[in-house]
CSV table of all heavy atoms in Angstrom, one decimal:
chain,number,residue,atom,x,y,z
A,84,PHE,N,-3.6,0.6,-17.2
A,84,PHE,CA,-3.8,1.8,-16.3
A,84,PHE,C,-4.4,1.3,-15.0
A,84,PHE,O,-4.2,1.8,-14.0
A,84,PHE,CB,-4.7,2.9,-17.0
A,84,PHE,CG,-3.9,3.8,-17.9
A,84,PHE,CD1,-4.1,3.9,-19.2
A,84,PHE,CD2,-2.8,4.4,-17.4
A,84,PHE,CE1,-3.4,4.7,-20.0
A,84,PHE,CE2,-2.0,5.3,-18.2
A,84,PHE,CZ,-2.3,5.5,-19.5
A,85,ALA,N,-5.5,0.3,-15.1
A,85,ALA,CA,-6.1,-0.2,-13.9
A,85,ALA,C,-5.0,-0.9,-12.9
A,85,ALA,O,-5.0,-0.7,-11.7
A,85,ALA,CB,-7.2,-1.2,-14.3
A,86,CYS,N,-4.1,-1.6,-13.6
A,86,CYS,CA,-2.9,-2.2,-12.7
A,86,CYS,C,-2.1,-1.2,-12.2
A,86,CYS,O,-1.8,-1.3,-11.1
A,86,CYS,CB,-2.1,-3.1,-13.6
A,86,CYS,SG,-3.1,-4.6,-14.2
A,87,ILE,N,-1.7,-0.2,-13.0
A,87,ILE,CA,-0.8,0.9,-12.5
A,87,ILE,C,-1.4,1.7,-11.4
A,87,ILE,O,-0.7,2.0,-10.4
A,87,ILE,CB,-0.3,1.7,-13.6
A,87,ILE,CG1,0.5,0.9,-14.7
A,87,ILE,CG2,0.5,2.9,-13.2
A,87,ILE,CD1,1.0,1.7,-15.9
A,88,PHE,N,-2.7,2.0,-11.6
A,88,PHE,CA,-3.3,2.9,-10.6
A,88,PHE,C,-4.0,2.3,-9.4
A,88,PHE,O,-4.6,2.9,-8.7
A,88,PHE,CB,-4.2,3.9,-11.4
A,88,PHE,CG,-3.5,5.0,-12.0
A,88,PHE,CD1,-2.9,4.8,-13.2
A,88,PHE,CD2,-3.5,6.2,-11.3
A,88,PHE,CE1,-2.2,5.9,-13.8
A,88,PHE,CE2,-2.9,7.4,-12.0
A,88,PHE,CZ,-2.1,7.1,-13.2
A,89,THR,N,-3.8,1.0,-9.3
A,89,THR,CA,-4.5,0.2,-8.1
A,89,THR,C,-3.4,-0.5,-7.4
A,89,THR,O,-3.4,-0.4,-6.2
A,89,THR,CB,-5.7,-0.6,-8.6
A,89,THR,OG1,-5.3,-1.5,-9.7
A,89,THR,CG2,-6.8,0.2,-9.1
A,90,LEU,N,-2.7,-1.4,-8.2
A,90,LEU,CA,-1.7,-2.2,-7.5
A,90,LEU,C,-0.7,-1.5,-6.7
A,90,LEU,O,-0.4,-1.7,-5.5
A,90,LEU,CB,-1.1,-3.3,-8.4
A,90,LEU,CG,-2.1,-4.5,-8.8
A,90,LEU,CD1,-1.4,-5.3,-9.9
A,90,LEU,CD2,-2.6,-5.2,-7.5
A,91,PRO,N,0.0,-0.7,-7.4
A,91,PRO,CA,1.2,0.1,-6.7
A,91,PRO,C,0.7,1.0,-5.4
A,91,PRO,O,1.3,0.7,-4.4
A,91,PRO,CB,1.9,1.0,-7.7
A,91,PRO,CG,1.6,0.3,-9.0
A,91,PRO,CD,0.2,-0.2,-8.9
A,92,PRO,N,-0.3,1.8,-5.6
A,92,PRO,CA,-0.8,2.5,-4.4
A,92,PRO,C,-1.3,1.5,-3.3
A,92,PRO,O,-1.1,1.7,-2.1
A,92,PRO,CB,-1.9,3.3,-5.0
A,92,PRO,CG,-1.7,3.3,-6.3
A,92,PRO,CD,-1.1,2.2,-6.7
A,93,PHE,N,-2.0,0.5,-3.8
A,93,PHE,CA,-2.4,-0.6,-2.8
A,93,PHE,C,-1.3,-1.2,-2.1
A,93,PHE,O,-1.4,-1.3,-0.7
A,93,PHE,CB,-3.3,-1.6,-3.5
A,93,PHE,CG,-4.0,-2.5,-2.6
A,93,PHE,CD1,-4.8,-2.2,-1.6
A,93,PHE,CD2,-3.8,-4.0,-2.7
A,93,PHE,CE1,-5.5,-3.0,-0.7
A,93,PHE,CE2,-4.3,-4.9,-1.9
A,93,PHE,CZ,-5.2,-4.5,-0.8
A,94,LEU,N,-0.3,-1.6,-2.8
A,94,LEU,CA,0.8,-2.1,-2.0
A,94,LEU,C,1.6,-1.2,-1.1
A,94,LEU,O,2.1,-1.5,-0.1
A,94,LEU,CB,1.8,-2.8,-3.2
A,94,LEU,CG,1.3,-4.0,-3.9
A,94,LEU,CD1,2.3,-4.4,-5.0
A,94,LEU,CD2,1.0,-5.1,-3.1
A,95,LEU,N,1.7,0.0,-1.7
A,95,LEU,CA,2.3,1.0,-0.8
A,95,LEU,C,1.5,1.2,0.4
A,95,LEU,O,2.1,1.4,1.6
A,95,LEU,CB,2.5,2.4,-1.7
A,95,LEU,CG,2.9,3.6,-0.9
A,95,LEU,CD1,4.3,3.3,-0.3
A,95,LEU,CD2,3.0,4.8,-1.7
A,96,THR,N,0.2,1.3,0.3
A,96,THR,CA,-0.7,1.5,1.5
A,96,THR,C,-0.4,0.2,2.5
A,96,THR,O,-0.4,0.3,3.8
A,96,THR,CB,-2.2,1.5,1.1
A,96,THR,OG1,-2.4,2.7,0.3
A,96,THR,CG2,-3.1,1.7,2.3
A,97,LEU,N,-0.5,-1.1,2.0
A,97,LEU,CA,-0.3,-2.2,2.8
A,97,LEU,C,1.0,-2.2,3.5
A,97,LEU,O,1.1,-2.5,4.7
A,97,LEU,CB,-0.3,-3.5,1.9
A,97,LEU,CG,-1.7,-3.9,1.4
A,97,LEU,CD1,-1.8,-5.1,0.7
A,97,LEU,CD2,-2.7,-4.1,2.6
A,98,THR,N,2.1,-1.7,2.9
A,98,THR,CA,3.5,-1.6,3.3
A,98,THR,C,3.4,-0.7,4.5
A,98,THR,O,3.9,-0.9,5.6
A,98,THR,CB,4.5,-1.3,2.3
A,98,THR,OG1,4.4,-2.2,1.2
A,98,THR,CG2,5.9,-1.1,2.8
A,99,SER,N,2.8,0.5,4.3
A,99,SER,CA,2.8,1.6,5.4
A,99,SER,C,2.1,1.0,6.6
A,99,SER,O,2.5,1.2,7.7
A,99,SER,CB,2.0,2.8,4.8
A,99,SER,OG,2.6,3.4,3.7
A,100,TYR,N,0.9,0.4,6.3
A,100,TYR,CA,0.2,-0.3,7.5
A,100,TYR,C,0.8,-1.4,8.2
A,100,TYR,O,0.7,-1.6,9.4
A,100,TYR,CB,-1.2,-0.5,7.0
A,100,TYR,CG,-2.1,0.7,7.1
A,100,TYR,CD1,-2.5,1.5,6.0
A,100,TYR,CD2,-2.6,1.2,8.4
A,100,TYR,CE1,-3.2,2.6,6.0
A,100,TYR,CE2,-3.4,2.3,8.4
A,100,TYR,CZ,-3.7,3.0,7.3
A,100,TYR,OH,-4.4,4.2,7.3
A,101,ALA,N,1.7,-2.1,7.5
A,101,ALA,CA,2.5,-3.2,8.1
A,101,ALA,C,3.5,-2.5,9.0
A,101,ALA,O,3.5,-3.0,10.1
A,101,ALA,CB,3.2,-3.9,7.0
A,102,PHE,N,4.1,-1.5,8.6
A,102,PHE,CA,5.1,-0.8,9.5
A,102,PHE,C,4.2,-0.1,10.7
A,102,PHE,O,4.8,0.0,11.9
A,102,PHE,CB,5.8,0.3,8.8
A,102,PHE,CG,7.0,-0.2,7.9
A,102,PHE,CD1,6.9,-0.2,6.6
A,102,PHE,CD2,8.2,-0.7,8.6
A,102,PHE,CE1,7.9,-0.8,5.8
A,102,PHE,CE2,9.2,-1.3,7.8
A,102,PHE,CZ,9.1,-1.4,6.5
A,103,ILE,N,3.2,0.4,10.4
A,103,ILE,CA,2.4,1.2,11.5
A,103,ILE,C,1.9,0.0,12.6
A,103,ILE,O,2.0,0.4,13.7
A,103,ILE,CB,1.0,1.8,10.9
A,103,ILE,CG1,1.4,3.0,10.0
A,103,ILE,CG2,0.1,2.1,11.9
A,103,ILE,CD1,0.3,3.6,9.3
A,104,ILE,N,1.4,-1.0,12.1
A,104,ILE,CA,1.0,-2.1,13.1
A,104,ILE,C,2.2,-2.6,13.9
A,104,ILE,O,2.1,-2.8,15.1
A,104,ILE,CB,0.3,-3.3,12.4
A,104,ILE,CG1,-1.0,-2.9,11.8
A,104,ILE,CG2,0.1,-4.5,13.2
A,104,ILE,CD1,-1.6,-3.8,10.7
A,105,ALA,N,3.3,-2.8,13.2
A,105,ALA,CA,4.5,-3.1,13.9
A,105,ALA,C,4.8,-2.1,15.0
A,105,ALA,O,5.4,-2.6,16.1
A,105,ALA,CB,5.7,-3.5,12.9
A,106,THR,N,4.8,-0.9,14.6
A,106,THR,CA,5.2,0.2,15.6
A,106,THR,C,4.1,0.2,16.8
A,106,THR,O,4.5,0.3,17.9
A,106,THR,CB,5.2,1.5,15.0
A,106,THR,OG1,6.1,1.5,13.8
A,106,THR,CG2,5.5,2.7,16.0
A,107,ILE,N,2.9,0.0,16.4
A,107,ILE,CA,1.9,0.1,17.5
A,107,ILE,C,2.0,-1.0,18.5
A,107,ILE,O,1.8,-0.9,19.7
A,107,ILE,CB,0.4,0.0,16.8
A,107,ILE,CG1,0.2,1.3,16.1
A,107,ILE,CG2,-0.6,-0.2,17.9
A,107,ILE,CD1,-1.1,1.3,15.4
């Protein structure tokens, strides 16, 4: 549960911010 509830959201967040930084 620690893996499921930290890694996927964290990776989704990193992906979102990678696109945000590229756009900025």
Side-chain angles (χ1 to χ4, degrees):
F84 278 121
C86 293
I87 293 173
F88 278 81
T89 53
L90 284 177
F93 183 58
L94 292 174
L95 177 60
T96 302
L97 287 181
T98 304
S99 297
Y100 276 100
F102 282 111
I103 288 171
I104 291 169
T106 302
I107 290 173

